[in-house]
Amino acid sequence: PTNAVPRPSFAQELWIDWLGIDTREETFLTLETQILLHNTDIDAVQAALAEIITSHEALRYSFDKSGDAFALEINKPEEFAADIEDISHIYDQRDATAELLLIAKAFSQILLPASGKWLFAARIVILANSSIAVLMRANHLVVDAASLEIIKQDLVALLHPTFRQTQSSRVRYADF
């Protein structure tokens, strides 16, 4: 039925109910990854992230606790926005690396509680010489470490079609 309320999966129910997880404080269940892209423009990265969010419903999940039960909410893909930081004015590689590390550390402190709006976050950092760093974090309720690596590969495949051709037989995140 079209008016059915989505339910968390059995595995998600285990994390939430059986383990007694407080959905407001699940910081220990956050996974992160990063990727450095060369000769890539910001618009292409934003479009690729939008495609990944649109294609993979689990990345749009959030949970709402009403009474004793959790309801699964699916956010609209167009509401997702990656944060953007521009440090392209820093040309010294050591200084740029130090600044990128500070940005990554601050990004890793962002909480992604199950009761929050998004359980997936991305930050795009524009570097000098047409390079971009993409930082991604996700709550373990929506991805595991292997899935996050597959999402990273999907991002590269969307940005570089030659990579997609060499990886045509590999597993995609949508296969899980």
Side-chain angles (χ1 to χ4, degrees), residues 2-55:
T2 58
N3 60 352
V5 176
R7 295 280 307 145
S9 71
F10 179 69
Q12 292 162 338
E13 291 279 358
L14 284 176
W15 278 107
I16 294 169
D17 292 333
W18 290 9
L19 297 178
I21 293 172
D22 182 344
T23 58
R24 294 162 296 173
E25 300 179 25
E26 297 170 29
T27 56
F28 67 97
L29 293 173
T30 303
L31 305 168
E32 52 191 75
T33 191
Q34 56 281 327
I35 186 167
L36 183 61
L37 304 164
H38 301 287
N39 300 317
T40 306
D41 77 23
I42 186 72
D43 293 333
V45 173
Q46 288 177 305
L49 281 171
E51 173 65 28
I52 287 170
I53 292 293
T54 300
S55 301

Side-chain angles (χ1 to χ4, degrees), residues 79-94:
E79 293 175 356
F80 179 81
D83 297 331
I84 300 173
E85 293 206 34
D86 186 347
I87 60 169
S88 61
H89 61 281
I90 303 175
Y91 289 99
D92 181 80
Q93 186 173 1
R94 285 176 297 194

Side-chain angles (χ1 to χ4, degrees), residues 31-35 49 107 120-123 134-138 148 151-152 155:
L31 305 168
E32 52 191 75
T33 191
Q34 56 281 327
I35 186 167
L49 281 171
F107 183 65
F120 177 81
R123 179 164 292 163
V134 180
L135 313 173
M136 294 180 280
R137 300 187 75 226
L148 196 55
I151 291 166
K152 187 165 76 170
L155 179 66

Side-chain angles (χ1 to χ4, degrees), residues 112-166:
L112 297 172
S115 56
K117 178 70 172 167
W118 288 92
L119 301 181
F120 177 81
R123 179 164 292 163
I124 301 168
V125 184
I126 304 169
L127 307 167
N129 302 320
S130 300
S131 294
I132 292 177
V134 180
L135 313 173
M136 294 180 280
R137 300 187 75 226
N139 187 299
H140 203 310
L141 288 169
V142 295
V143 297
D144 59 14
S147 298
L148 196 55
E149 286 302 308
I150 292 169
I151 291 166
K152 187 165 76 170
Q153 291 175 8
D154 285 351
L155 179 66
V156 172
L158 286 166
L159 292 167
H160 301 288
T162 55
F163 180 82
R164 179 181 293 161
Q165 291 168 357
T166 63

